Amino acid sequence: MRLLGSKVKQYRKQKNLSQQELADGICTQATVSLMEKKNKVPSIKIILQICRRLNISLSDVLSGLGSGMDEQFEAISVAIRREDYLVAASLLGKLEMTNVQNSFDRERYHYYRGFVELGAHHRPDEAIFHFNLLLHKTFKMPWDLYAIVGNVGMASAYLSRHELDKARYYLNEAVSYLDDFEWHDEATFKRLVWARYQIAKMYLELQLPQLVIESVEAALSAVKHQASLYLIDVLYEVKGQAEQALMSKAAAKRSLLIAKTLALVTHNVALQERLAPAVGSTILE
């Protein structure tokens, strides 16, 4: 593991912080200077606190966190975001666990294994076991990306067990972390939008339509900022469903019509089929 001091400096300047301002309450200004100029690694606690203040993740300023398994993990990640859990399970089963030798790879493994247990095998207890391993490591901090999506996974697992109070707790945890998180690359952007979408769907199941709309609006803001179409069609779908629950018929009809139009653009056949009866239903007339 190697600290990228130039990256620390770059992110610090982007935030218009001096070295002393970055260090305040965390470490000394001299420590920050050594980090930036000499790539000196202080304690993991200090690095995490520095990352928190800069709104970045460990992987933004540390090299050697991953391994040669990055491509395999990314393929699993894509399958999970598409909700192709059987594909994700197959890919995960092909991993040579003897190659999982560092903490970052083990962290990723437990995260993906949790969603595979939940989505492919319908075993929420097993999923909770793996998400717990992800969330309760001694060095973990709540602003880390995998902690955010780990809370989403925990909420989903408890929702499947009909433990609604625990599901709401983990949803609220995920939302509070997401509100303070900034992305710096396409992969992180997609994970965060996916997390917002999953949160919105769970709030809908919990019959909390106003929270659905808040989560969707946050996701749509990010998507529009990136000029992206990522999940935009299904985001409008769940927004329309929440507006139906709130008896906002005109708003619901508008959102579902947008979703249907976007489904044609994104070639989302499944969504087109779901929306065909919904958009024409009398509830929206």
Side-chain angles (χ1 to χ4, degrees):
M1 180 177 71
R2 185 170 67 87
L3 178 67
L4 304 175
S6 61
K7 287 288 189 180
V8 175
K9 183 177 181 179
Q10 174 188 331
Y11 290 124
R12 174 175 64 79
K13 287 186 172 293
Q14 286 177 0
K15 295 289 183 182
N16 295 315
L17 295 174
S18 67
Q19 288 184 342
Q20 184 58 54
E21 288 170 330
L22 178 58
D24 187 34
I26 298 175
C27 58
T28 65
Q29 181 270 331
T31 298
V32 173
S33 180
L34 287 171
M35 291 172 67
E36 293 184 354
K37 295 179 180 178
K38 301 291 186 180
N39 299 320
K40 184 174 177 59
V41 179
S43 69
I44 191 68
K45 179 180 178 180
I46 289 176
I47 294 177
L48 283 165
Q49 289 175 313
I50 291 291
C51 288
R52 169 56 172 166
R53 185 156 291 171
L54 294 173
N55 275 323
I56 61 176
S57 64
L58 279 174
S59 59
D60 289 319
V61 294
L62 291 176
S63 65
L65 282 175
S67 68
M69 304 174 74
D70 289 349
E71 289 187 7
Q72 292 167 283
F73 279 124
E74 180 57 25
I76 296 168
S77 177
V78 170
I80 288 173
R81 291 201 302 269
R82 292 176 178 171
E83 299 186 1
D84 292 335
Y85 295 112
L86 293 177
V87 171
S90 176
L91 292 170
L92 193 66
K94 294 176 183 177
L95 284 180
E96 291 291 339
M97 288 309 298
T98 55
N99 295 333
V100 182
Q101 297 176 352
N102 64 48
S103 60
F104 185 55
D105 281 343
R106 286 194 295 272
E107 179 180 332
R108 293 192 287 181
Y109 172 79
H110 288 302
Y111 161 63
Y112 296 127
R113 178 72 183 274
F115 278 104
V116 163
E117 291 292 350
L118 196 58
H121 306 311
H122 309 292
R123 295 189 294 216
D125 291 349
E126 290 294 321
I128 289 169
F129 170 79
H130 287 284
F131 289 133
N132 265 322
L133 289 176
L134 173 66
L135 293 173
H136 293 97
K137 292 179 181 294
T138 56
F139 64 86
K140 292 301 300 173
M141 301 295 260
W143 49 85
D144 181 88
L145 174 62
Y146 286 99
I148 293 171
V149 289
N151 275 290
V152 173
M154 288 288 273
S156 182
Y158 279 114
L159 190 57
S160 71
R161 283 176 29 165
H162 307 290
E163 296 184 41
L164 305 188
D165 287 342
K166 289 183 178 179
R168 281 190 289 266
Y169 168 79
Y170 283 105
L171 282 174
N172 292 339
E173 289 290 289
V175 169
S176 67
Y177 302 150
L178 276 166
D179 287 343
D180 293 329
F181 198 93
E182 295 182 5
W183 67 86
H184 302 283
D185 57 68
E186 183 72 12
T188 303
F189 157 74
K190 288 186 174 180
R191 288 190 180 97
L192 295 183
V193 173
W194 177 85
R196 292 279 192 191
Y197 172 56
Q198 296 299 321
I199 289 167
K201 289 199 298 182
M202 284 187 273
Y203 275 141
L204 189 65
E205 190 170 344
L206 289 167
Q207 299 180 12
L208 297 169
Q210 189 56 52
L211 293 180
V212 174
I213 292 174
E214 290 177 12
S215 187
V216 169
E217 289 293 350
L220 287 174
S221 177
V223 169
K224 292 171 183 176
H225 182 269
Q226 290 292 101
S228 171
L229 291 175
Y230 182 64
L231 294 182
I232 192 170
D233 47 4
V234 291
L235 284 167
Y236 272 105
E237 177 194 24
V238 75
K239 183 183 180 187
Q241 292 169 338
E243 289 164 340
Q244 283 182 338
L246 289 169
M247 301 304 293
S248 301
K249 296 183 179 180
K253 185 173 183 178
R254 181 170 58 252
S255 293
L256 292 174
L257 284 171
I258 292 172
K260 186 176 182 180
T261 301
L262 289 168
L264 294 172
V265 175
T266 59
H267 307 289
N268 189 337
V269 176
L271 180 57
Q272 293 174 42
E273 292 175 349
R274 289 202 302 272
L275 290 178
V279 173
S281 65
T282 56
I283 191 172
L284 297 178
E285 294 175 356

